[in-house]
Amino acid sequence: MFLVDLFLIFIGLIILILGVLIGVAYMTLLERKLLGYIQIRKGPNKVGFIGILQPFSDAIKLFTKEQTYPNFSNYFSYYFSPIISFILSLVIWTLIPYFFNLISFNLGLLFFLSCTSMGVYTVMVAGWASNSNYSLLGGLRAVAQTISYEVSLALILMSSIVMIMSFNLFMFFNYQIYIWMFMFMYPLALCWMSSSLAETNRTPFDFAEGESELVSGFNVEYSSGGFALIFLSEYSSILFMSFLFVILYLGGYDMTFLFYLKMSMISFLFIWVRGTLPRYRYDKLMYLAWKSYLPISLNYLMLFIGLKIFLLMIFLV
């Protein structure tokens, strides 16, 4: 029986990963179409009906192109860092609190923070291993940015954890049946949203790949498959951050069409921000993390801890 259960979990994970990959493929198409309409032009519309097969033709093109290696690069680090980055971005998806057939995490949020922290190393190694000044500078920027915003992400997350007193993502649904956490954590939800933009290296915080000054940042030497894996992991992280935002602030996980609609709307917001806002200045990005989000998240954390203690005292009396 135990082996059968393990086999079913394995099959469930394979289906989940396939679903994520297809979701990522169509998110790239959605982004290209939306940016097209924002810039008053058509997006991809030639391959298949209204461009519906474009992501698959792009994937075939990228993975069949010749892989190039810079002569002075550190070969193994250069080759494996995009692969590890991609694996990490898929491993996080095991956190989805399905009601059947998958792994249930009691410490899910700690697992999420551990995986996102590991993602920093892959960007750093990718930037360093290329042995190019542009990619090294992009990698260093990305590491400083990601570490700065992970601090605020963890502290914002702490407020939610204090409210429900559990690391399990299942619990967020139980505590949001009557009112969404977004209603009384509105500023924190907005801080989480912009921190997740910075965490996934998205516009207006895409300094790791600032084309205007760094050519293309830490991935400047990557082509074909390595380039594709880096961007697959980025879009997978965007989808997961959208998913987590809905769980934390917009009613938790329930297997309804509305949940996936909310998730799609948050993903749409990521793309809309890219089409609308210019790139931030690097010193202002750091200022925002350490002098705005850190005090806000700490103050809210103190508020919710005080609220929890006050309620506990009332119940005890």
Side-chain angles (χ1 to χ4, degrees):
M1 186 63 187
F2 181 65
L3 283 174
V4 172
D5 288 342
L6 280 179
F7 179 71
L8 286 174
I9 287 171
F10 178 72
I11 295 296
L13 287 173
I14 294 292
I15 292 169
L16 172 67
I17 286 168
L18 285 174
V20 170
L21 290 177
I22 292 168
V24 164
Y26 279 103
M27 186 165 174
T28 59
L29 179 65
L30 174 71
E31 175 164 46
R32 291 169 71 183
K33 291 293 255 186
L34 278 174
L35 289 178
Y37 286 117
I38 286 168
Q39 294 156 9
I40 321 177
R41 60 181 173 82
K42 295 284 184 189
N45 61 349
K46 293 287 185 288
V47 185
F49 176 66
I50 59 167
I52 207 92
L53 297 175
Q54 185 71 48
F56 299 105
S57 62
D58 286 341
I60 291 164
K61 184 200 79 172
L62 282 168
F63 285 108
T64 53
K65 273 175 71 176
E66 182 188 1
Q67 181 86 43
T68 56
Y69 305 103
N71 285 336
F72 297 103
S73 65
N74 192 323
Y75 178 81
F76 283 104
S77 307
Y78 174 86
Y79 186 85
F80 283 108
S81 60
I83 297 169
I84 294 167
S85 172
F86 181 56
I87 289 168
L88 277 172
S89 71
L90 290 182
V91 163
I92 304 181
W93 281 95
T94 55
L95 272 178
I96 285 196
Y98 273 139
F99 300 102
F100 55 89
N101 197 21
L102 271 184
I103 304 156
S104 177
F105 280 94
N106 273 333
L107 301 174
L109 290 172
L110 288 181
F111 181 76
F112 158 71
L113 288 172
S114 306
C115 285
T116 49
S117 304
M118 286 292 292
V120 178
Y121 294 106
T122 58
V123 172
M124 184 173 71
V125 170
W128 168 79
S130 307
N131 206 16
S132 153
N133 288 341
Y134 288 124
S135 61
L136 180 62
L137 195 56
L140 289 174
R141 277 186 176 193
V143 169
Q145 172 184 327
T146 314
I147 288 171
S148 300
Y149 278 88
E150 257 170 28
V151 173
S152 68
L153 274 180
L155 283 167
I156 292 166
L157 208 51
M158 282 291 290
S159 295
S160 302
I161 292 164
V162 163
M163 288 307 284
I164 68 163
M165 297 306 275
S166 170
F167 292 109
N168 196 335
L169 289 176
F170 270 115
M171 300 299 288
F172 282 93
F173 175 67
N174 299 336
Y175 279 81
Q176 294 183 82
I177 292 170
Y178 298 111
I179 184 169
W180 289 354
M181 289 219 184
F182 186 80
M183 301 299 178
F184 54 92
M185 287 189 182
Y186 177 68
L188 276 186
L190 296 185
C191 288
W192 173 276
M193 187 68 207
S194 48
S195 293
S196 52
L197 279 170
E199 184 71 17
T200 50
N201 291 328
R202 293 287 293 177
T203 311
F205 306 118
D206 57 338
F207 299 98
E209 51 207 66
E211 294 87 355
S212 51
E213 68 267 21
L214 291 182
V215 190
S216 187
F218 72 99
N219 55 349
V220 68
E221 301 294 350
Y222 283 95
S223 63
S224 62
F227 175 84
L229 287 176
I230 285 170
F231 277 87
L232 280 172
S233 60
E234 181 182 315
Y235 281 91
S236 168
S237 302
I238 290 167
L239 278 176
F240 187 79
M241 283 300 195
S242 310
F243 163 82
L244 207 56
F245 185 88
V246 175
I247 282 187
L248 294 177
Y249 298 110
L250 297 181
Y253 180 80
D254 54 336
M255 294 180 66
T256 57
F257 175 72
L258 183 63
F259 171 81
Y260 294 102
L261 185 66
K262 286 185 282 192
M263 187 174 159
S264 303
M265 288 305 294
I266 301 297
S267 302
F268 165 77
L269 200 61
F270 272 83
I271 299 166
W272 191 11
V273 164
R274 180 177 178 182
T276 312
L277 298 176
R279 188 175 291 127
Y280 226 48
R281 218 172 66 200
Y282 192 71
D283 58 318
K284 292 203 170 189
L285 168 95
M286 289 302 176
Y287 184 93
L288 189 69
W290 295 107
K291 293 196 174 178
S292 296
Y293 289 172
L294 189 62
I296 288 170
S297 51
L298 279 171
N299 280 320
Y300 266 95
L301 183 57
M302 292 299 127
L303 170 70
F304 288 125
I305 289 172
L307 190 65
K308 204 74 180 175
I309 292 168
F310 176 68
L311 289 172
L312 194 65
M313 287 168 68
I314 287 175
F315 281 120
L316 285 174
V317 170

